[in-house]
């Protein structure tokens, strides 16, 4: 379908959307934004952007996508290359949002996993950086392309295929999708720049008198850049009022003093012993009494003939402010009440008297913002109008009372605390020119050289758990989902959405928020539904990259469990260093940096075969072969090769178990049996397992580096202690006396609930000791003959060699390791039986490995009540923070309900 121009196209689809909005069933779609038909239509630019679930998604896929064809070969390993792009790029900074992944950090992943023209999905798109990255793949300058191709060549990667990709962007928040649409849909940049300059000039002409102040020479008038308002307190000794900033600010250092004398009685004052003052006046909207904390103007910063000056407000300034305060509040200023009872941040703003949107704006700021908004809304061209609103809305937070005064900062623009509604004791009320003039100039330059095509992106507003996309229609997913309780998006978007009059439906928002009665289980369930939808629309065998930010292990485990339960298989987890922007492997559940998770949807062949072989050894090895094929073969950096954690036996076992459990299938092999089978079926290199053809590639690339970079392991429980010991003994078989001092240094972070274990017990249950009799084991012989010249070329039964090897502990070969594993499992199950029979309501100290082994056995035997019962005896935090226990427990709850 073609149209003579954008106006006719827009008019046609607006009518289609208008008809759709009249359908009651359409508005019943989960996550549908809250707003009138006219406000939703005003915010939309169909078919490419709708401020509601986009009814044209299916058409977009049909026109721009490629149907899934299993006969077309597709193979990628997880993207495991360092990304060093930060957050200073001008395009990234064109509009802020609560969380953003730089588009230049996304581009390499898109190039790796996709071809030009492929369709990418981001269901939690935020400000739309995934879309910007997808289009950047076709618009990147030659300098960037050369740099990336050079870096990839060093890593042994093929040259990327440049060219724009198509993208589907979705978010629950209208505030987010509006930003994303304006970032990704084309517009006339020159017309926007011209309109923006005109808008600022008209507001300046109309309201210049509000920002005039008499220069200290008493003759000329300066132009106010910002006025600092200080909270007023009372002295606890004399009860007189104290304007905080007047007394606390050191005029020379520009720093607030920790203590200062009362100007009335000289008593020593601090922020802690001052008493807050409230004042009451008529609410300009409701007419009722509005009681709020008292602020007074304390400082004016102004410009006169290009020079910046500061002064205390004089009588003329105060009279001007009083005159403005008498003006009626413009109709453009939203007056709706914050949903304080359902907001985490309600307790921060309500006690200070800020309960409605209009309370956030001082009278002069309200007049200025209203004028900016009114003129932007009046522009006749829809696309330019939206870009003007995209521009103006960036001043809303910065012109509210949320804008803190930071005397030592270079600028007073946008100094609000991020991620929270916080009204400080010092407010910087900035002029519109001060806030927006530089932004307008930068936006014109930023968008000037960024070509985009209307058909490359489509934006929809709703929940990621219900996308109107066909099955198996998406080629790649890059997503940055909400992470627990770090950021309350619906709450924080309420301010901006009040101006647009279209609000987030917070019911399906995937967060942890006690005020909305959403705990970790609810968060996990909501995320599982979103990942299940991702799995439905993603083509089989294709990849998903998940960026995750949280410091809580429990939230990380909830995300992992949600992904696995939805049908994905995790192939690689790395940390993203925020300062360096680099990816590093993760081998523990400690989460202190951003995580980058690579997961794939098993191809149809594996799933179909698994239905026939489920619960058999054949099914296990089919999964292992398929999984190994998806893992990176070789990763190096700075002349060092990395151990790929996912290729180690214990993680292969974990992935295999999870694959079976999530599909309700009995796990046919124990850890010992899998380890033996791995050694028999697959080549092993540096403690990792490969397919034969991968081993040949690894051997070739291994020669190009000098050494292996060992994984960092934090010893905090029995499992990590065993991995640490295995790492030490693989490098160097050692005696107990050699190991013990090292072990004591490592166990400082041992979990308080984890039963302490002696090093001697850990060694006896998991490793072997050479007693000096018979031949020296190969593992010890190899180490000694390599590191001691005098022991080279000696037979394994040589007395000198035997004496040197005696009492050294070593990692057994897989067959003997299997025997040890069986003995250890019996001991663990005996201990689990004690926990099950215990009359204690809560187990304060226990052996986590015993609980894991017991849960696994109970699940195999379909003894779900035992899992639920023992889970009730261990601390909830332990259950939530251990991915294995959480998996068994969740499955037991589900199966128990089914039974």
């Amino acid at each position: 379908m073609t149209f003579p121009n954008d106006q006719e196209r827009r008019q046609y689809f607006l009518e289609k959307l208008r008809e759709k909005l009249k359908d009651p069933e359409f508005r019943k779609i989960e996550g549908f934004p809250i707003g009138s038909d006219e406000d939703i239509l005003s915010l939309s630019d169909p078919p490419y952007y709708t401020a509601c679930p986009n009814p044209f998604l299916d058409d977009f896929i049909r026109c721009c996508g490629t149907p899934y064809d299993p006969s077309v070969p597709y193979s990628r390993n997880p993207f495991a290359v360092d990304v060093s792009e930060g957050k200073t790029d001008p395009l990234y900074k064109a509009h802020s949002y609560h969380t953003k992944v730089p588009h230049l950090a996304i581009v390499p992943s898109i190039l790796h996993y996709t071809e030009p023209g492929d369709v990418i999905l981001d269901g939690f798109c935020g400000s739309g950086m995934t879309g910007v990255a997808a289009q950047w793949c076709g618009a990147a300058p030659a300098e960037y392309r050369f740099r990336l191709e050079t870096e990839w060549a060093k890593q042994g990667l093929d040259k990327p295929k440049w060219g724009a990709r198509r993208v589907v962007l979705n978010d629950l928040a209208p505030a987010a999708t509006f930003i994303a649409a304006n970032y990704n849909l084309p517009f006339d940049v020159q017309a926007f720049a011209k309109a923006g300059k005109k808008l600022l000039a008209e507001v300046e002409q109309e309201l210049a008198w509000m920002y005039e102040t008499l220069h200290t020479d008493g003759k000329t008038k300066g132009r106010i850049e910002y006025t600092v308002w200080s909270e007023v307190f009372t002295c606890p000794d004399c009860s007189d009022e104290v304007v905080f900033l007047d007394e606390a600010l050191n005029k020379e250092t520009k720093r607030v003093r920790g203590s200062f004398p009362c100007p009335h009685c000289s008593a020593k004052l601090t922020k802690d012993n001052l008493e807050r003052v409230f004042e009451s006046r008529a609410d300009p909207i409701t007419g009722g009494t509005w009681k709020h904390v008292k602020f007074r103007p304390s400082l004016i910063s102004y410009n006169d003939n290009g020079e910046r000056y500061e002064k205390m407000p004089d009588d003329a300034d105060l009279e001007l402010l009083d005159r403005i305060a008498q003006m009626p509040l413009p109709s453009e200023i939203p007056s709706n009440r914050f949903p304080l009872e359902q907001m985490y941040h309600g307790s921060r703003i309500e006690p200070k008297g800020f309960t409605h949107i209009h309370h956030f704006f001082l009278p002069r700021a309200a007049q200025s913002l209203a004028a900016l908004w009114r003129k932007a809304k009046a522009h006749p061209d829809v696309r330019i109008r939206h870009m003007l609103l995209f521009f103006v809305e960036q001043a809303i937070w910065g012109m509210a009372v949320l804008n803190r005064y930071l005397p030592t900062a270079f600028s007073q623009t946008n100094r609000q605390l991020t991620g929270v509604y916080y009204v400080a004791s010092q407010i910087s009320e900035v002029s519109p020119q001060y806030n927006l003039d530089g932004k307008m100039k930068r936006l014109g330059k930023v968008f000037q050289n960024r070509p985009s095509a209307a058909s490359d992106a489509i934006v929809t507003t709703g929940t990621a758990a219900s996308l109107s996309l066909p099955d198996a229609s998406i080629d790649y997913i890059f997503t940055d989902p909400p992470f627990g309780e770090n950021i309350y998006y619906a709450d924080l978007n309420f301010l901006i959405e009040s101006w647009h009059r279209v609000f987030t439906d917070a019911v399906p928002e995937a967060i942890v928020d006690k005020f909305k009665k959403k705990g970790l289980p609810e968060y996990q369930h909501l995320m599982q539904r979103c990942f299940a939808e991702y799995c439905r629309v993603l083509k089989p065998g294709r990849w998903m990259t998940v960026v995750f930010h949280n410091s809580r292990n429990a939230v990380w485990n909830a995300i992992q469990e949600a992904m696995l339960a939805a049908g994905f298989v995790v192939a690689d987890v790395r940390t993203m260093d925020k300062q360096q922007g680099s990816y590093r492997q993760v081998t523990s559940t400690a989460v202190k940096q951003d995580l980058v998770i690579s997961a794939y949807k098993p191809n149809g062949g594996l799933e179909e075969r698994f239905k026939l072989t489920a619960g058999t050894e054949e099914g296990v090895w089919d999964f292992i072969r398929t999984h190994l094929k998806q893992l990176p073969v070789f990763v190096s950096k700075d002349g060092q090769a990395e151990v790929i954690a996912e290729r180690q036996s214990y993680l292969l076992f974990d992935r295999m178990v999870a694959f079976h459990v999530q599909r309700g299938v009995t796990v046919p092999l124990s850890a010992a049996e899998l380890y033996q089978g791995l050694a028999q079926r697959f080549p092993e290199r540096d403690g990792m397992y490969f397919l034969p053809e991968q081993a040949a590639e690894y051997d070739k690339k291994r020669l190009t580096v000098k050494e292996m970079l060992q994984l960092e392991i934090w010893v905090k429980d029995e499992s990590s202690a065993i991995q640490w010991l295995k790492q030490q003994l693989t490098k160097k078989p050692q005696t107990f006396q050699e190991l013990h001092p090292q072990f004591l240094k490592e166990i400082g972070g041992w979990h308080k609930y984890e039963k302490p274990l002696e090093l001697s017990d850990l060694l006896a249950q998991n490793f072997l000791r050479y007693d000096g009799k018979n031949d020296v084991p190969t593992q010890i012989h190899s180490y000694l003959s390599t590191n001691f010249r005098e022991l080279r070329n000696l037979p394994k039964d040589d007395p000198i060699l035997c004496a040197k090897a005696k009492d050294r502990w070593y990692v057994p070969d897989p067959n003997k390791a299997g025997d040890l594993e069986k003995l250890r499992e019996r001991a663990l199950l005996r201990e689990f039986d004690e926990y099950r029979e215990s009359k204690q309501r809560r187990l304060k100290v226990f052996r986590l490995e015993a609980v894991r082994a017991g849960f696994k056995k109970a699940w195999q035997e379909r003894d779900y009540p035992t899992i639920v019962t023992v889970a009730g005896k261990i601390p909830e935090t332990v259950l939530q923070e251990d991915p294995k226990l959480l998996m068994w427990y969740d499955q037991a709850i589900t199966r128990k309900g089914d039974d």
Side-chain angles (χ1 to χ4, degrees), residues 47-48 50 53-63 121 167-170 458-461 466-470:
Y48 302 114
T50 60
N54 196 322
F56 311 109
L57 281 181
D58 196 60
D59 297 330
F60 179 84
I61 293 297
R62 189 171 59 253
C63 294
L121 168 67
V167 66
V168 177
L169 301 173
N170 174 82
I458 190 166
V459 186
T460 178
T461 309
S466 180
L467 299 167
S468 301
L469 290 166

Side-chain angles (χ1 to χ4, degrees), residues 695-762:
E697 180 186 346
Y698 181 83
D699 290 340
K700 183 179 178 181
K701 292 182 176 178
R702 179 70 171 82
L703 295 173
T704 64
V705 298
K706 297 177 182 178
E707 58 182 334
M708 291 294 298
L709 183 64
Q710 293 298 320
L711 295 171
E712 245 185 306
I713 297 174
W714 289 271
V715 178
K716 60 191 183 305
D717 55 19
E718 181 178 354
S719 177
S720 55
I722 293 169
Q723 291 304 319
W724 181 83
L725 286 169
K726 185 177 181 181
Q727 187 181 78
Q728 304 308 307
L729 295 176
T730 299
K731 288 189 297 184
K732 174 188 176 183
Q734 301 174 59
T735 65
F736 176 87
Q737 289 75 16
E738 290 173 312
L739 275 171
H740 196 245
Q742 302 172 62
F743 182 72
L744 292 179
K745 290 179 184 177
E746 294 292 330
I747 60 173
W750 195 268
H751 287 319
K752 62 181 181 181
Y753 60 78
E754 177 79 12
K755 181 179 178 180
L757 293 172
E758 295 294 335
L759 174 61
S760 55
D761 293 332
L762 286 167

Side-chain angles (χ1 to χ4, degrees), residues 466-486:
S466 180
L467 299 167
S468 301
L469 290 166
D471 293 353
S473 59
I474 297 297
D475 297 292
Y476 171 59
I477 295 171
F478 187 99
T479 195
D480 178 14
F483 32 98
E485 56 193 341
N486 279 25

Side-chain angles (χ1 to χ4, degrees), residues 243-274:
V243 179
F244 180 75
L245 202 65
D246 290 355
E247 308 306 326
L249 183 67
N250 185 314
K251 302 297 189 292
E252 294 180 2
T253 64
K254 292 291 185 182
R255 295 187 180 277
V256 174
R257 292 177 292 197
S259 63
F260 52 91
C262 172
H264 309 292
C265 69
S266 299
K268 183 179 179 181
L269 301 177
T270 67
K271 190 77 175 286
D272 292 334
N273 68 9
L274 287 169

